Amino acid sequence: MDKDTIKKVADVARLNLTDEEISDFSRDFDGILEQFSELHKEKLEEFEEEEKSAVLRKDESVLDFTVSEKILDNAPDKENKLYKVPKGSK
Amino acid sequence: MKLNEKVNSYLANISKSKLNAFISINKHAENDAERIQKKIDAGKAGRLAGYVFSIKDNIAVSGMRLTCASKMLENYISPYDATVVKRIIAEDGLIIGKVNMDEFACGASGETSYFGPTLNPHDTGRVPGGSSAGSATSVAAGLSDVSLGSDTGGSIRCPASFCGVFGFKPTYGTVSRYGLVDMAMSLDQIGPVTKNVSDAALILSVINGSDKMDNTVTGTQQDYTKFVKQKITGVKIGVVEEFFEGCEHAIEKNVRDGIEILKNEGANIVKVSVPKTAIAVPTYYLNMFAEFSSAMQKFDGLKYGFRKDGKDINDTVAESRSALGEEVKRRILLGTYITMKEFRGKWYSTALKARETIRHEMIQALKKCDLLIGPTMPFTAFKLGEKIKDPVEMYLADILTVSANLSGLPAASIPLNVSGLPIGMQLHANAGEEVKILAAAAAYEGASK
């Protein structure tokens, strides 16, 4: 994976990487994806819908949340009962 | 020994220990011990009274730090208890502290923690296995009676194998994940790490069962304790030959000896095949990367956790995420890459299909027998630093544990009675059939003493 692709992916993932990290990851990713491309050599069958794993969900309901103040206690910056964040990009 | 004496002795041992198993100590532990001891004396104590727990530091304990062994959450205080913690406390289990782990559960060695590596109590020059490193180390080294870990691709069973303790990953949907910091939400399960099978059965009996806070948990609460003494006469155990490929000689020999012990206990041993084990590692990692990169988006430095201000909000998020360690960043980047529109067809869609293939094969194999058996890990605990620089080598260590997660099946690592470095023998069962694993594990435990 070339350095420009890494930079593009890092931007999507909201990670600021150093030049050293970019070169290290570029080298690693080639090795990892080469190893993982074994998967493309395999014959993978399609399964009938009922055989697929499914996460069963019961009806969901809304519950009272009682610890919102404690949650705000973990905020790096807050004002009144709101998170305080830096300004958006122009 | 009274509980307060026991807790004091543990606290003294923890403070002297050089294994780096603990991240935080419960400062109310002595008070908790006195309160529970009074209940014991009055004959009114719950089922877990007398047990001292360590809890993996990705599970919320109200009022205590929840760091996930990351600089990102170094000072984060849990606002509530995880469901499993609430249930343990309700049965008078005592929590002595939160234990070390690979950062955000990213690792098979216990070395990627921001707080430094945990050491293997059997040989401090070796890794304890990961990611529930502190869970297995604290139990093996006598720093807690029992522990709770989490297992996404083997994170309970790998350190259990390397440290010589019993580790159990339940069927997906057996134990509530509410209050567990998710790694890959379709794979994560919380489970016990213990010195013996009956303790694991008891803990599992307390923590399992439906929870309105996690709708993937569907069943009513089960009691597993009565199955531990069940005979295994006629139980059909399938030896998966592919699980032995590439294993160290000592592992193969000792696991085959362990299987012989189960045969002498009345089990019917048969051979079965799971050929897609060969692609289990890429299948697991690609699925996990995708879910992990999504799960990690919440760590943005705005609502909680480490913040480093940048020139605007986007830059602040990206700068704050510099608090994440190398392996965490590697997985976020790969997960982002394989799910991007241009690449998802090649990678993520293939990985989802491969997951179904592996699940289908595991279930087919379990139609021929009650349990699948093999080693937990292909090798014993490796040296500190031996694999940390080579991510591919480290990922390949998970080859025997990930299929259980990909298939949602229960699996356990049973410590074999060996001299030298510990070796784990792994059992898998059909979904919901944890009792078969517990009965066979207890039969081995009883016969090997």
Side-chain angles (χ1 to χ4, degrees):
Chain A
M1 202 190 299
D2 62 55
K3 290 179 184 174
D4 285 342
T5 310
I6 303 254
K7 280 183 195 163
K8 189 178 155 195
V9 175
D11 192 47
V12 175
R14 296 271 189 277
L15 288 170
N16 282 354
L17 302 178
T18 63
D19 289 343
E20 197 190 344
E21 282 177 318
I22 292 169
S23 351
D24 288 353
F25 285 137
S26 168
R27 192 195 54 229
D28 287 353
F29 291 173
D30 284 341
I32 293 167
L33 293 176
E34 191 193 324
Q35 175 76 30
F36 287 3
S37 53
E38 280 172 36
L39 219 51
H40 299 121
K41 297 177 198 149
E42 287 288 326
K43 192 175 164 288
L44 303 171
E45 294 167 61
E46 291 283 356
F47 294 97
E48 295 295 318
E49 200 56 38
E50 63 271 18
E51 277 210 20
K52 285 190 177 173
S53 54
V55 174
L56 296 172
R57 297 185 70 86
K58 293 178 282 184
D59 287 341
E60 289 183 290
S61 58
V62 178
L63 300 169
D64 284 336
F65 199 64
T66 54
V67 291
S68 39
E69 277 186 23
K70 282 194 199 169
I71 284 181
L72 273 166
D73 285 346
N74 281 303
D77 200 2
K78 59 182 172 174
E79 203 170 293
N80 302 319
K81 285 188 173 176
L82 300 167
Y83 293 114
K84 204 171 166 187
V85 301
K87 64 177 168 41
S89 320
K90 280 181 186 163
Chain B
M1 202 197 287
K2 295 274 186 187
L3 186 57
N4 20 352
E5 294 167 33
K6 185 177 176 179
V7 164
N8 282 329
S9 142
Y10 274 140
L11 290 171
N13 289 341
I14 292 166
S15 71
K16 277 186 288 187
S17 169
K18 304 237 184 297
L19 300 171
N20 201 23
F22 281 78
I23 291 178
S24 304
I25 297 296
N26 175 11
K27 55 180 189 283
H28 306 297
E30 288 169 281
N31 289 343
D32 291 348
E34 277 188 32
R35 181 178 48 78
I36 296 165
Q37 185 61 50
K38 276 184 194 154
K39 289 174 93 174
I40 296 172
D41 295 341
K44 288 179 180 168
R47 284 187 288 173
L48 293 175
Y51 280 91
V52 175
F53 280 78
S54 70
I55 306 281
K56 187 177 184 180
D57 209 14
N58 61 352
I59 300 172
V61 177
S62 182
M64 288 189 74
R65 282 200 300 166
L66 173 65
T67 69
C68 291
S70 180
K71 183 182 177 185
M72 176 57 85
L73 293 177
E74 189 177 3
N75 300 307
Y76 180 84
I77 306 292
S78 300
Y80 53 80
D81 282 327
T83 297
V84 288
V85 168
K86 204 181 264 180
R87 289 181 182 177
I88 284 168
I89 292 172
E91 289 292 344
D92 292 320
L94 185 144
I95 291 162
I96 198 157
K98 305 290 295 291
V99 277
N100 208 353
M101 54 185 280
D102 283 292
E103 184 182 2
F104 284 106
C106 293
S109 69
E111 294 173 286
T112 70
S113 167
Y114 171 65
F115 303 100
T118 306
L119 309 181
N120 190 312
H122 295 271
D123 176 349
T124 55
R126 291 177 187 272
V127 303
S131 66
S132 308
S135 291
T137 296
S138 65
V139 173
L143 303 174
S144 69
D145 292 327
V146 291
S147 189
L148 283 187
S150 67
D151 191 313
T152 306
S155 281
I156 287 175
R157 292 161 287 150
C158 161
S161 175
F162 283 4
C163 293
V165 292
F166 185 65
F168 198 112
K169 182 203 88 77
T171 306
Y172 185 80
T174 300
V175 176
S176 169
R177 296 160 304 131
Y178 182 64
L180 168 71
V181 179
D182 57 331
M183 180 190 200
M185 57 182 253
S186 77
L187 302 162
D188 301 332
Q189 271 294 278
I190 294 171
V193 178
T194 59
K195 287 189 194 81
N196 58 59
V197 180
S198 59
D199 283 353
L202 175 61
I203 294 167
L204 207 53
S205 302
V206 170
I207 63 174
N208 87 95
S210 65
D211 175 21
K212 61 183 181 223
M213 304 307 280
D214 179 356
N215 277 350
T216 61
V217 186
T218 48
T220 51
Q221 198 166 50
Q222 308 282 321
D223 182 2
Y224 299 102
T225 54
K226 55 181 183 280
F227 296 99
V228 169
K229 294 204 164 38
Q230 208 167 49
K231 291 257 175 255
I232 59 160
T233 315
V235 170
K236 215 184 220 186
I237 302 182
V239 180
V240 184
E241 288 304 323
E242 290 87 355
F243 288 177
F244 291 89
E245 282 170 17
C247 278
E248 275 175 10
H249 175 72
I251 302 262
E252 170 151 13
K253 185 192 174 297
N254 282 291
V255 172
R256 292 204 191 273
D257 289 351
I259 294 168
E260 207 52 34
I261 288 178
L262 290 171
K263 190 178 170 189
N264 294 338
E265 289 300 295
N268 178 10
I269 308 296
V270 296
K271 273 188 186 179
V272 293
S273 180
V274 184
K276 290 286 190 282
T277 304
I279 56 159
V281 166
T283 304
Y284 165 73
Y285 273 90
L286 292 166
N287 274 282
M288 181 269 290
F289 287 156
E291 294 184 31
F292 181 68
S293 63
S294 161
M296 291 302 289
Q297 285 177 12
K298 60 184 164 286
F299 301 105
D300 56 12
L302 302 179
K303 306 179 292 294
Y304 46 78
F306 180 85
R307 179 187 290 187
K308 187 177 172 195
D309 284 320
K311 55 185 186 292
D312 56 34
I313 192 164
N314 285 338
D315 196 40
T316 298
V317 171
E319 283 296 319
S320 298
R321 283 158 73 82
S322 64
L324 300 170
E326 182 186 347
E327 182 57 29
V328 174
K329 285 183 189 165
R330 183 179 288 126
R331 294 183 187 201
I332 291 173
L333 289 166
L334 284 165
T336 306
Y337 174 77
I338 62 158
T339 50
M340 281 163 78
K341 204 175 161 193
E342 313 85 296
F343 310 112
R344 66 174 291 139
K346 182 177 177 189
W347 292 107
Y348 186 48
S349 307
T350 309
L352 285 171
K353 226 164 128 182
R355 177 177 180 169
E356 285 307 321
T357 309
I358 288 172
R359 180 174 172 272
H360 178 79
E361 259 196 11
M362 291 289 282
I363 288 170
Q364 289 306 311
L366 280 162
K367 281 184 180 158
K368 299 186 187 109
C369 52
D370 298 295
L371 294 162
L372 301 179
I373 200 163
T376 307
M377 297 298 291
F379 31 71
T380 52
F382 45 89
K383 291 194 171 127
L384 284 159
E386 191 180 319
K387 293 184 195 288
I388 195 76
K389 288 284 163 216
D390 187 344
V392 172
E393 273 288 301
M394 192 70 95
Y395 297 166
L396 288 172
D398 295 338
I399 184 158
L400 303 176
T401 50
V402 293
S403 295
N405 305 78
L406 290 167
S407 316
L409 302 176
S413 181
I414 303 148
L416 293 176
N417 189 5
V418 293
S419 54
L421 289 172
I423 294 173
M425 176 165 75
Q426 185 172 221
L427 286 168
H428 294 81
N430 265 313
E433 294 188 340
E434 4 283 283
V435 293
K436 288 184 178 171
I437 295 179
L438 292 167
Y444 172 83
E445 190 180 72
S448 68
K449 271 177 188 163

